[in-house]
Coordinates of all heavy atoms in Angstrom, one line a residue:
M7 N -1.3 9.0 10.5 CA -2.6 9.3 10.0 C -3.2 8.2 9.1 O -2.5 7.7 8.2 CB -2.5 10.6 9.2 CG -3.8 10.9 8.6 SD -3.7 12.5 7.6 CE -3.3 11.8 6.1
A8 N -4.3 7.7 9.4 CA -5.0 6.7 8.6 C -5.5 7.3 7.3 O -6.1 8.4 7.3 CB -6.1 6.1 9.4
L9 N -5.3 6.6 6.2 CA -5.8 7.1 5.0 C -7.2 6.7 4.8 O -7.6 5.5 5.0 CB -4.9 6.5 3.8 CG -3.5 6.9 3.8 CD1 -2.7 6.1 2.7 CD2 -3.4 8.4 3.5
G10 N -8.0 7.6 4.3 CA -9.4 7.4 4.0 C -9.7 7.2 2.5 O -8.7 7.4 1.7
A11 N -10.9 7.0 2.2 CA -11.3 6.8 0.8 C -10.9 8.0 -0.1 O -10.3 7.8 -1.2 CB -12.7 6.5 0.6
K12 N -11.1 9.2 0.4 CA -10.8 10.4 -0.3 C -9.3 10.6 -0.5 O -8.8 11.1 -1.5 CB -11.4 11.6 0.3 CG -12.9 11.7 0.2 CD -13.5 12.9 0.8 CE -15.0 12.9 0.7 NZ -15.6 14.1 1.2
D13 N -8.5 10.1 0.5 CA -7.1 10.2 0.4 C -6.5 9.3 -0.7 O -5.6 9.7 -1.4 CB -6.4 9.8 1.8 CG -6.8 10.7 2.9 OD1 -6.8 12.0 2.8 OD2 -7.2 10.2 4.0
L14 N -7.1 8.1 -0.8 CA -6.7 7.2 -1.8 C -6.9 7.8 -3.2 O -6.0 7.7 -4.1 CB -7.4 5.8 -1.6 CG -7.2 5.1 -0.3 CD1 -7.9 3.8 -0.3 CD2 -5.7 4.9 0.1
G15 N -8.1 8.3 -3.4 CA -8.4 9.0 -4.7 C -7.5 10.1 -5.0 O -7.0 10.3 -6.1
R16 N -7.2 10.9 -4.0 CA -6.3 12.1 -4.1 C -4.9 11.7 -4.5 O -4.3 12.3 -5.4 CB -6.3 12.9 -2.8 CG -5.4 14.1 -2.8 CD -5.4 14.9 -1.5 NE -5.2 14.0 -0.3 CZ -4.0 13.5 0.0 NH1 -3.0 13.7 -0.7 NH2 -4.0 12.6 1.1
I17 N -4.4 10.6 -3.9 CA -3.1 10.2 -4.2 C -3.0 9.7 -5.6 O -2.1 10.0 -6.4 CB -2.6 9.0 -3.2 CG1 -2.4 9.6 -1.8 CG2 -1.4 8.3 -3.7 CD1 -2.3 8.6 -0.7
R18 N -4.0 8.9 -6.0 CA -4.1 8.4 -7.4 C -4.2 9.6 -8.4 O -3.4 9.6 -9.4 CB -5.3 7.5 -7.6 CG -5.5 7.0 -9.0 CD -6.8 6.3 -9.2 NE -8.0 6.9 -8.8 CZ -8.6 7.9 -9.5 NH1 -8.1 8.3 -10.7 NH2 -9.7 8.4 -9.1
E19 N -4.9 10.6 -8.1 CA -5.1 11.7 -9.0 C -3.7 12.5 -9.1 O -3.4 13.0 -10.2 CB -6.2 12.6 -8.5 CG -7.5 12.0 -8.8 CD -8.7 12.8 -8.2 OE1 -8.5 13.8 -7.5 OE2 -9.8 12.3 -8.3
K20 N -3.0 12.6 -8.0 CA -1.7 13.3 -8.1 C -0.7 12.5 -8.9 O 0.2 13.1 -9.5 CB -1.1 13.4 -6.7 CG -1.7 14.5 -5.8 CD -1.1 14.7 -4.5 CE -1.7 15.8 -3.7 NZ -1.0 16.0 -2.5
L21 N -0.9 11.2 -9.1 CA -0.1 10.4 -10.0 C -0.6 10.5 -11.4 O 0.0 9.9 -12.4 CB -0.1 9.0 -9.6 CG 0.6 8.6 -8.3 CD1 0.5 7.2 -7.9 CD2 2.1 9.0 -8.3
H22 N -1.7 11.2 -11.7 CA -2.4 11.3 -13.0 C -2.7 10.0 -13.6 O -2.5 9.7 -14.7 CB -1.4 12.1 -13.9 CG -0.8 13.3 -13.4 ND1 -1.6 14.4 -13.1 CD2 0.4 13.6 -13.0 CE1 -0.8 15.4 -12.6 NE2 0.4 14.9 -12.5
L23 N -3.3 9.1 -12.7 CA -3.7 7.8 -13.1 C -5.2 7.6 -13.1 O -5.8 8.1 -12.2 CB -3.0 6.7 -12.3 CG -1.5 6.6 -12.2 CD1 -1.1 5.5 -11.3 CD2 -1.0 6.4 -13.6
T24 N -5.7 6.8 -14.0 CA -7.1 6.3 -13.8 C -7.1 5.3 -12.8 O -6.1 4.7 -12.3 CB -7.6 5.7 -15.2 OG1 -6.8 4.5 -15.4 CG2 -7.5 6.7 -16.3
Q25 N -8.3 4.9 -12.3 CA -8.5 3.8 -11.4 C -8.0 2.5 -12.0 O -7.3 1.7 -11.3 CB -9.9 3.7 -11.0 CG -10.4 4.7 -10.0 CD -11.8 4.5 -9.5 OE1 -12.6 3.7 -10.1 NE2 -12.2 5.2 -8.5
E26 N -8.2 2.3 -13.3 CA -7.7 1.1 -13.9 C -6.2 1.0 -13.9 O -5.6 -0.1 -13.6 CB -8.2 1.0 -15.4 CG -9.7 0.8 -15.5 CD -10.2 0.8 -16.9 OE1 -9.6 1.5 -17.7 OE2 -11.2 0.2 -17.1
R27 N -5.5 2.1 -14.2 CA -4.0 2.1 -14.2 C -3.5 2.0 -12.8 O -2.5 1.3 -12.6 CB -3.5 3.4 -14.9 CG -2.0 3.5 -14.9 CD -1.4 2.5 -15.9 NE 0.0 2.7 -15.9 CZ 0.9 1.8 -15.5 NH1 0.5 0.6 -15.1 NH2 2.2 2.0 -15.5
M28 N -4.1 2.6 -11.8 CA -3.7 2.5 -10.4 C -3.8 1.0 -10.0 O -2.9 0.5 -9.3 CB -4.5 3.4 -9.5 CG -4.0 3.4 -8.1 SD -2.4 4.2 -8.0 CE -2.2 4.5 -6.3
A29 N -4.9 0.4 -10.4 CA -5.1 -1.0 -10.1 C -3.9 -1.9 -10.7 O -3.4 -2.7 -9.9 CB -6.4 -1.5 -10.6
A30 N -3.5 -1.6 -11.9 CA -2.4 -2.3 -12.5 C -1.1 -2.1 -11.7 O -0.3 -3.0 -11.5 CB -2.3 -1.9 -14.0
V31 N -0.9 -0.8 -11.3 CA 0.4 -0.5 -10.6 C 0.4 -1.2 -9.3 O 1.5 -1.7 -8.9 CB 0.5 1.0 -10.4 CG1 1.5 1.4 -9.4 CG2 0.7 1.8 -11.7
L32 N -0.8 -1.3 -8.6 CA -0.8 -2.0 -7.3 C -0.9 -3.5 -7.4 O -0.8 -4.2 -6.4 CB -2.0 -1.4 -6.5 CG -1.9 0.1 -6.1 CD1 -3.2 0.5 -5.5 CD2 -0.8 0.3 -5.1
G33 N -1.3 -4.0 -8.6 CA -1.5 -5.4 -8.8 C -2.8 -5.9 -8.2 O -2.8 -7.0 -7.7
V34 N -3.8 -5.1 -8.3 CA -5.1 -5.4 -7.8 C -6.1 -5.2 -8.9 O -5.8 -4.7 -10.0 CB -5.5 -4.6 -6.5 CG1 -4.5 -4.9 -5.4 CG2 -5.6 -3.1 -6.8
S35 N -7.4 -5.5 -8.7 CA -8.4 -5.3 -9.7 C -8.9 -3.8 -9.7 O -8.8 -3.2 -8.6 CB -9.6 -6.2 -9.5 OG -10.3 -5.8 -8.3
F36 N -9.4 -3.4 -10.8 CA -10.1 -2.1 -10.9 C -11.2 -2.0 -9.9 O -11.4 -1.0 -9.2 CB -10.6 -1.9 -12.3 CG -11.7 -0.9 -12.4 CD1 -11.4 0.5 -12.3 CD2 -13.1 -1.3 -12.4 CE1 -12.5 1.4 -12.3 CE2 -14.1 -0.3 -12.5 CZ -13.8 1.0 -12.4
V37 N -11.9 -3.1 -9.7 CA -13.1 -3.1 -8.8 C -12.6 -2.8 -7.4 O -13.2 -2.0 -6.6 CB -13.8 -4.5 -8.8 CG1 -14.8 -4.6 -7.7 CG2 -14.5 -4.7 -10.2
S38 N -11.4 -3.3 -7.0 CA -10.9 -3.1 -5.6 C -10.6 -1.6 -5.5 O -11.0 -1.0 -4.5 CB -9.6 -3.9 -5.4 OG -9.9 -5.2 -5.4
V39 N -9.9 -1.0 -6.4 CA -9.6 0.4 -6.3 C -10.8 1.3 -6.3 O -11.0 2.2 -5.4 CB -8.7 0.9 -7.5 CG1 -8.5 2.4 -7.5 CG2 -7.3 0.2 -7.4
N40 N -11.8 0.9 -7.1 CA -13.1 1.6 -7.1 C -13.8 1.5 -5.8 O -14.3 2.5 -5.2 CB -13.9 1.1 -8.2 CG -15.2 1.9 -8.4 OD1 -16.2 1.5 -7.8 ND2 -15.2 2.9 -9.2
R41 N -13.8 0.3 -5.2 CA -14.5 0.2 -3.9 C -13.8 0.9 -2.8 O -14.4 1.4 -1.9 CB -14.6 -1.3 -3.6 CG -15.7 -2.0 -4.5 CD -15.8 -3.5 -4.3 NE -16.2 -3.8 -2.9 CZ -17.4 -3.7 -2.4 NH1 -18.4 -3.3 -3.1 NH2 -17.7 -4.0 -1.1
W42 N -12.5 0.9 -2.8 CA -11.7 1.6 -1.8 C -12.0 3.1 -1.9 O -12.2 3.7 -0.8 CB -10.2 1.4 -2.0 CG -9.7 0.0 -1.9 CD1 -10.3 -1.0 -1.2 CD2 -8.5 -0.5 -2.4 NE1 -9.6 -2.2 -1.4 CE2 -8.5 -1.9 -2.1 CE3 -7.5 0.0 -3.2 CZ2 -7.4 -2.7 -2.5 CZ3 -6.5 -0.8 -3.6 CH2 -6.5 -2.2 -3.3
E43 N -11.9 3.6 -3.0 CA -12.1 5.1 -3.2 C -13.6 5.6 -3.0 O -13.8 6.7 -2.6 CB -11.7 5.5 -4.6 CG -10.2 5.5 -4.8 CD -9.7 6.1 -6.1 OE1 -10.5 6.8 -6.8 OE2 -8.5 5.8 -6.5
N44 N -14.5 4.6 -3.1 CA -15.9 5.0 -2.8 C -16.3 4.6 -1.4 O -17.5 4.7 -1.0 CB -16.8 4.3 -3.8 CG -16.7 5.0 -5.1 OD1 -17.0 6.2 -5.2 ND2 -16.2 4.3 -6.2
G45 N -15.3 4.1 -0.6 CA -15.6 3.8 0.9 C -16.4 2.5 1.1 O -16.9 2.3 2.2
H46 N -16.4 1.6 0.1 CA -17.2 0.4 0.3 C -16.3 -0.7 0.9 O -16.9 -1.7 1.3 CB -17.8 -0.1 -1.1 CG -18.7 0.9 -1.7 ND1 -20.0 1.2 -1.1 CD2 -18.7 1.7 -2.7 CE1 -20.6 2.1 -1.8 NE2 -19.8 2.4 -2.8
S47 N -15.0 -0.6 0.8 CA -14.1 -1.6 1.4 C -12.8 -0.9 1.7 O -12.6 0.3 1.3 CB -13.9 -2.8 0.6 OG -13.2 -2.4 -0.7
I48 N -11.9 -1.5 2.4 CA -10.7 -1.0 2.9 C -9.5 -1.9 2.4 O -9.6 -3.1 2.5 CB -10.6 -0.9 4.4 CG1 -11.7 0.0 4.9 CG2 -9.2 -0.4 4.9 CD1 -11.9 -0.1 6.4
P49 N -8.5 -1.3 1.8 CA -7.4 -2.1 1.4 C -6.7 -2.8 2.5 O -6.7 -2.4 3.6 CB -6.4 -1.1 0.7 CG -7.1 0.2 0.7 CD -8.2 0.1 1.6
L50 N -6.0 -3.9 2.1 CA -5.1 -4.6 3.1 C -4.0 -3.7 3.6 O -3.6 -2.7 2.9 CB -4.5 -5.8 2.5 CG -5.5 -6.9 2.0 CD1 -4.7 -8.0 1.3 CD2 -6.2 -7.5 3.3
R51 N -3.4 -4.0 4.7 CA -2.3 -3.1 5.3 C -1.2 -3.0 4.3 O -0.6 -1.9 4.2 CB -1.8 -3.7 6.6 CG -0.8 -3.0 7.3 CD -1.3 -1.7 7.9 NE -0.8 -0.5 7.2 CZ -1.2 0.7 7.3 NH1 -2.2 1.0 8.2 NH2 -0.7 1.7 6.7
A52 N -0.8 -4.0 3.6 CA 0.3 -3.9 2.6 C 0.0 -2.9 1.5 O 0.9 -2.2 1.1 CB 0.5 -5.3 2.0
V53 N -1.2 -2.9 1.1 CA -1.6 -1.9 0.0 C -1.6 -0.5 0.6 O -1.2 0.5 0.0 CB -3.0 -2.2 -0.6 CG1 -3.4 -1.1 -1.6 CG2 -2.9 -3.6 -1.3
L54 N -2.1 -0.3 1.9 CA -2.1 1.0 2.5 C -0.6 1.5 2.7 O -0.4 2.7 2.6 CB -2.8 0.9 3.9 CG -4.3 0.8 3.8 CD1 -4.9 0.6 5.2 CD2 -4.9 2.1 3.1
D55 N 0.3 0.5 3.0 CA 1.7 0.9 3.1 C 2.2 1.4 1.8 O 3.0 2.4 1.7 CB 2.5 -0.3 3.6 CG 2.3 -0.7 5.0 OD1 1.7 0.1 5.8 OD2 2.7 -1.8 5.4
L56 N 1.8 0.9 0.7 CA 2.2 1.4 -0.6 C 1.7 2.8 -0.9 O 2.4 3.7 -1.4 CB 1.7 0.4 -1.7 CG 2.4 -0.9 -1.9 CD1 1.7 -1.8 -2.9 CD2 3.9 -0.7 -2.2
Y57 N 0.4 3.0 -0.5 CA -0.2 4.3 -0.6 C 0.6 5.3 0.2 O 0.9 6.4 -0.2 CB -1.7 4.3 -0.2 CG -2.6 4.0 -1.4 CD1 -3.2 2.7 -1.5 CD2 -3.0 4.9 -2.3 CE1 -4.1 2.4 -2.5 CE2 -3.9 4.6 -3.3 CZ -4.4 3.4 -3.4 OH -5.3 3.1 -4.4
D58 N 0.9 4.9 1.5 CA 1.7 5.8 2.4 C 3.1 6.1 1.8 O 3.5 7.3 1.8 CB 1.9 5.1 3.7 CG 0.7 5.1 4.6 OD1 -0.2 6.0 4.5 OD2 0.6 4.2 5.5
A59 N 3.7 5.1 1.2 CA 5.0 5.4 0.5 C 4.9 6.3 -0.7 O 5.8 7.2 -0.8 CB 5.6 4.0 0.1
I60 N 3.9 6.1 -1.4 CA 3.7 7.0 -2.6 C 3.4 8.5 -2.1 O 4.0 9.4 -2.6 CB 2.5 6.5 -3.5 CG1 2.9 5.2 -4.2 CG2 2.1 7.6 -4.5 CD1 1.7 4.5 -4.8
E61 N 2.6 8.6 -1.1 CA 2.2 9.9 -0.5 C 3.5 10.6 0.0 O 3.7 11.8 -0.2 CB 1.2 9.8 0.5 CG 0.7 11.2 1.0 CD -0.4 11.1 2.0 OE1 -0.5 10.2 2.8 OE2 -1.3 12.0 1.8
A62 N 4.3 9.8 0.7 CA 5.6 10.4 1.3 C 6.5 10.8 0.1 O 7.1 11.9 0.2 CB 6.3 9.3 2.1
A63 N 6.6 10.1 -1.0 CA 7.4 10.5 -2.1 C 6.9 11.7 -2.7 O 7.7 12.6 -3.1 CB 7.5 9.3 -3.1
L64 N 5.6 11.8 -2.8 CA 5.0 13.1 -3.4 C 5.3 14.3 -2.5 O 5.7 15.3 -3.0 CB 3.5 12.9 -3.6 CG 3.1 12.0 -4.7 CD1 1.6 11.6 -4.6 CD2 3.3 12.6 -6.1
R65 N 5.1 14.1 -1.2 CA 5.4 15.2 -0.2 C 6.9 15.6 -0.3 O 7.2 16.8 -0.1 CB 5.0 14.8 1.2 CG 3.6 14.9 1.6 CD 3.3 14.9 3.1 NE 4.1 13.8 3.7 CZ 3.6 12.6 4.0 NH1 2.4 12.3 3.7 NH2 4.4 11.7 4.6
A66 N 7.8 14.6 -0.5 CA 9.2 14.9 -0.6 C 9.6 15.6 -1.9 O 10.7 16.0 -2.1 CB 10.0 13.6 -0.5
G67 N 8.6 15.8 -2.8 CA 8.8 16.6 -4.0 C 9.1 15.7 -5.2 O 9.5 16.3 -6.3
H68 N 9.0 14.4 -5.1 CA 9.2 13.6 -6.3 C 8.1 13.7 -7.3 O 6.9 13.7 -6.9 CB 9.4 12.1 -5.9 CG 10.6 11.9 -5.0 ND1 11.9 11.8 -5.5 CD2 10.7 11.8 -3.7 CE1 12.7 11.7 -4.5 NE2 12.1 11.6 -3.4
A69 N 8.4 13.8 -8.5 CA 7.3 13.9 -9.6 C 6.6 12.5 -9.8 O 7.2 11.5 -9.5 CB 8.0 14.3 -10.9
A70 N 5.4 12.6 -10.2 CA 4.6 11.4 -10.4 C 5.3 10.4 -11.3 O 5.4 9.2 -11.1 CB 3.2 11.8 -10.9
E71 N 5.9 11.0 -12.4 CA 6.5 10.1 -13.4 C 7.7 9.4 -12.8 O 8.0 8.3 -13.1 CB 7.0 11.0 -14.6 CG 5.9 11.7 -15.4 CD 5.3 12.9 -14.7 OE1 6.0 13.5 -13.8 OE2 4.2 13.2 -15.0
E72 N 8.5 10.1 -11.9 CA 9.6 9.5 -11.2 C 9.2 8.4 -10.3 O 9.8 7.3 -10.3 CB 10.3 10.6 -10.4 CG 11.5 10.1 -9.7 CD 12.2 11.3 -8.8 OE1 11.6 12.4 -8.9 OE2 13.1 11.0 -8.1
I73 N 8.1 8.6 -9.6 CA 7.6 7.6 -8.7 C 7.2 6.3 -9.5 O 7.5 5.2 -9.1 CB 6.4 8.1 -7.8 CG1 6.9 9.2 -6.9 CG2 5.7 7.0 -7.1 CD1 5.8 10.0 -6.3
L74 N 6.4 6.5 -10.6 CA 6.0 5.4 -11.4 C 7.1 4.7 -12.0 O 7.2 3.5 -12.1 CB 5.0 5.9 -12.4 CG 3.6 6.4 -11.8 CD1 2.8 7.0 -12.9 CD2 2.9 5.2 -11.1
K75 N 8.1 5.5 -12.5 CA 9.3 4.8 -13.1 C 10.1 4.0 -12.1 O 10.6 2.9 -12.4 CB 10.2 5.9 -13.7 CG 11.4 5.4 -14.5 CD 12.2 6.4 -15.1 CE 13.3 5.8 -15.9 NZ 14.2 6.8 -16.5
S76 N 10.2 4.5 -10.9 CA 10.9 3.7 -9.8 C 10.3 2.4 -9.5 O 10.9 1.5 -8.9 CB 11.1 4.6 -8.6 OG 9.9 4.7 -7.9
S77 N 9.0 2.3 -9.8 CA 8.3 1.0 -9.6 C 8.8 -0.1 -10.5 O 8.4 -1.2 -10.4 CB 6.8 1.2 -9.7 OG 6.4 1.3 -11.0
G78 N 9.6 0.3 -11.5 CA 10.1 -0.6 -12.5 C 9.0 -1.1 -13.4 O 9.1 -2.1 -14.1
E79 N 7.9 -0.3 -13.5 CA 6.8 -0.6 -14.4 C 6.2 -2.0 -14.1 O 5.8 -2.6 -15.0 CB 7.1 -0.4 -15.8 CG 7.5 1.0 -16.2 CD 6.3 2.0 -16.0 OE1 5.2 1.7 -16.3 OE2 6.7 3.1 -15.6
R80 N 6.3 -2.4 -12.9 CA 5.7 -3.7 -12.4 C 4.3 -3.6 -12.6 O 3.6 -2.6 -12.4 CB 6.1 -4.0 -11.0 CG 7.6 -4.1 -10.8 CD 7.9 -4.4 -9.4 NE 9.3 -4.3 -9.1 CZ 9.9 -4.4 -7.9 NH1 9.1 -4.6 -6.9 NH2 11.1 -4.3 -7.8
T81 N 3.7 -4.7 -12.8 CA 2.2 -4.8 -12.8 C 1.7 -5.3 -11.4 O 0.5 -5.4 -11.2 CB 1.6 -5.6 -13.9 OG1 2.2 -6.9 -13.8 CG2 2.0 -5.0 -15.3
R82 N 2.7 -5.7 -10.6 CA 2.2 -6.3 -9.3 C 3.3 -6.1 -8.3 O 4.5 -6.4 -8.5 CB 1.9 -7.8 -9.4 CG 1.4 -8.3 -8.2 CD 0.7 -9.7 -8.4 NE 0.2 -10.3 -7.2 CZ -1.0 -10.0 -6.7 NH1 -1.8 -9.2 -7.4 NH2 -1.4 -10.6 -5.7
F83 N 3.0 -5.4 -7.2 CA 4.0 -5.2 -6.1 C 3.8 -6.3 -5.0 O 4.8 -6.6 -4.3 CB 3.7 -3.9 -5.4 CG 4.2 -2.7 -6.1 CD1 3.4 -1.7 -6.5 CD2 5.6 -2.6 -6.4 CE1 3.9 -0.6 -7.2 CE2 6.1 -1.4 -7.1 CZ 5.2 -0.4 -7.5
L84 N 2.6 -6.8 -4.9 CA 2.3 -7.7 -3.7 C 2.6 -9.1 -4.1 O 2.4 -9.5 -5.2 CB 0.9 -7.5 -3.3 CG 0.6 -6.1 -2.9 CD1 -0.9 -6.0 -2.6 CD2 1.4 -5.6 -1.7

């Protein structure tokens, strides 16, 4: 299933993150996250893969805190 703008915002909200914090977790700018969630642009495939992985972890029952901790508190994945 392809993720749309609303899906990206929903995933971020399930992590209890602001757009600014989500941008830091993904290693992108706040402007990018804002534009994706408002449907003005589309993330690169690598970023969509990260969103897919986060969504899969949430569906598997992992807590938001656990997902964020497993990222190693990196400020950049890409």
Side-chain angles (χ1 to χ4, degrees):
M7 171 181 91
L9 294 173
K12 289 183 181 183
D13 299 314
L14 302 180
R16 180 183 46 77
I17 292 167
R18 177 184 55 77
E19 289 171 358
K20 284 185 177 183
L21 292 175
H22 312 291
L23 298 178
T24 63
Q25 287 183 343
E26 289 175 336
R27 180 69 178 117
M28 187 65 168
V31 167
L32 295 172
V34 299
S35 70
F36 158 77
V37 172
S38 293
V39 172
N40 184 270
R41 289 180 57 78
W42 300 335
E43 290 188 14
N44 287 299
H46 298 293
S47 64
I48 300 169
L50 296 174
R51 181 73 246 167
V53 174
L54 288 173
D55 288 346
L56 289 172
Y57 274 102
D58 283 335
I60 292 167
E61 184 174 44
L64 289 167
R65 276 195 318 266
H68 297 281
E71 296 78 21
E72 181 183 358
I73 294 167
L74 293 170
K75 186 177 180 183
S76 71
S77 74
E79 295 300 319
R80 296 178 192 175
T81 57
R82 185 162 179 87
F83 282 120
L84 303 174

